[in-house]
Amino acid sequence: VEIYDLAGRLTRQLHKSVESIGIRAQSWDGRDDGGRLVPPGVYVLRVSGQTDGIAAEQVRVLRVAY
């Protein structure tokens, strides 16, 4: 689970590990990897995974406002 700004820079990596099969929930507190609040704006959420040789990826748009 990764969050990018519109310039393509990685803003936050929320999760990077091997998990067993099942439903997972993850939240983002609006902070970058350094713990600072990100500026209001539009960000890109990328979720990817692989199992049994099959890769999947979803990309969504996030809007941050304070």
Side-chain angles (χ1 to χ4, degrees):
V1 177
E2 301 165 329
I3 299 172
Y4 295 87
D5 64 16
L6 290 182
R9 293 180 298 253
L10 181 62
T11 301
R12 180 84 184 263
Q13 186 167 21
L14 295 176
H15 193 73
K16 184 179 181 179
S17 69
V18 176
E19 293 282 340
S20 61
I21 295 173
I23 296 173
R24 303 283 183 264
Q26 183 73 52
S27 61
W28 178 42
D29 60 3
R31 296 181 185 277
D32 64 15
D33 279 334
R36 298 172 297 272
L37 284 174
V38 299
V42 179
Y43 293 83
V44 176
L45 169 72
R46 179 178 169 264
V47 178
S48 60
Q50 183 172 347
T51 182
D52 296 330
I54 299 170
E57 178 178 277
Q58 287 199 357
V59 177
R60 299 280 192 248
V61 173
L62 299 173
R63 292 166 184 88
V64 175
Y66 300 107

